[in-house]
Amino acid sequence: MKIALGCDHGGIAIKPSVVKVLKANGIEIEDFGCFDTSSVDYPDYALKVAEAVSQGKADKGIILCGTGIGISIAANKVKGIRAAVCHDLFTAQMCSQHNDANILAMGGRVVSEELAAQMTQVWLDTPFEGGRHSGRVGKITQIENKYFK
Ligand code: RB5
């Protein structure tokens, strides 16, 4: 599995702990930056990760900003992306189990390094349940097809 990774200066604090989990799981990482705490614009990194996932160059993505909100909003503007901003283990599990989220978003000013690592592991370990949720995710795709070019 390959995971695309992106963050801004607000999310970079939790990147090392996420990377550690990915490496421990033998996952290939494409890190699109940023790489230091200089102020940058989160949509630039959201776009890189979202395009990699949307185009099949990565299986999934993880994006990090201060809250996880801005970077997830931006990523969700790319067709085929279901980016979920999560704050705890339950939401990290459910976004995969029920929503088939292909990008996990977290906030470096919201969750600790330890929690970010645990959430990453739970998200990786939780498969999409399918069943009744397939129809609902399919309806999200229908909305995309209606409004995206
Ligand atoms: C940057 O200061 C901050 O606005 C950004 O990381 C993110 O929290 C936006 O949603």
Side-chain angles (χ1 to χ4, degrees):
M1 180 187 286
K2 183 174 176 180
I3 288 199
L5 187 58
C7 71
D8 76 353
H9 55 288
I12 197 165
I14 57 173
K15 184 162 84 165
S17 61
V18 170
V19 167
K20 195 173 170 187
V21 170
L22 297 179
K23 285 186 174 169
N25 283 269
I27 291 169
E28 185 185 350
I29 303 166
E30 182 158 11
D31 188 347
F32 288 100
C34 65
F35 298 103
D36 60 46
T37 54
S38 309
S39 183
V40 292
D41 298 330
Y42 59 80
D44 298 337
Y45 300 91
L47 181 61
K48 290 176 190 199
V49 171
E51 284 184 337
V53 175
S54 174
Q55 294 168 9
K57 293 174 182 167
D59 299 295
K60 293 181 175 188
I62 296 179
I63 50 178
L64 315 167
C65 69
T67 58
I69 296 170
I71 204 161
S72 61
I73 291 173
N76 278 317
K77 299 300 179 189
V78 175
K79 190 171 168 61
I81 294 306
R82 292 180 299 280
V85 55
C86 297
H87 306 101
D88 50 38
L89 296 179
F90 180 68
T91 50
Q93 176 190 333
M94 296 309 287
C95 80
S96 186
Q97 192 173 324
H98 283 191
N99 313 117
D100 199 18
N102 49 14
I103 294 184
L104 173 65
M106 295 182 283
R109 297 170 184 161
V110 179
V111 299
S112 67
E113 291 176 66
E114 186 183 353
L115 182 55
Q118 291 171 346
M119 288 165 65
T120 300
Q121 189 65 60
V122 165
W123 180 64
L124 290 171
D125 287 345
T126 305
F128 178 48
E129 193 174 289
R132 67 188 188 280
H133 303 293
S134 294
R136 293 163 185 165
V137 172
K139 288 190 176 190
I140 296 173
T141 304
Q142 286 174 20
I143 295 170
E144 278 185 342
N145 292 337
K146 183 174 179 182
Y147 287 101
F148 281 52
K149 285 184 182 172

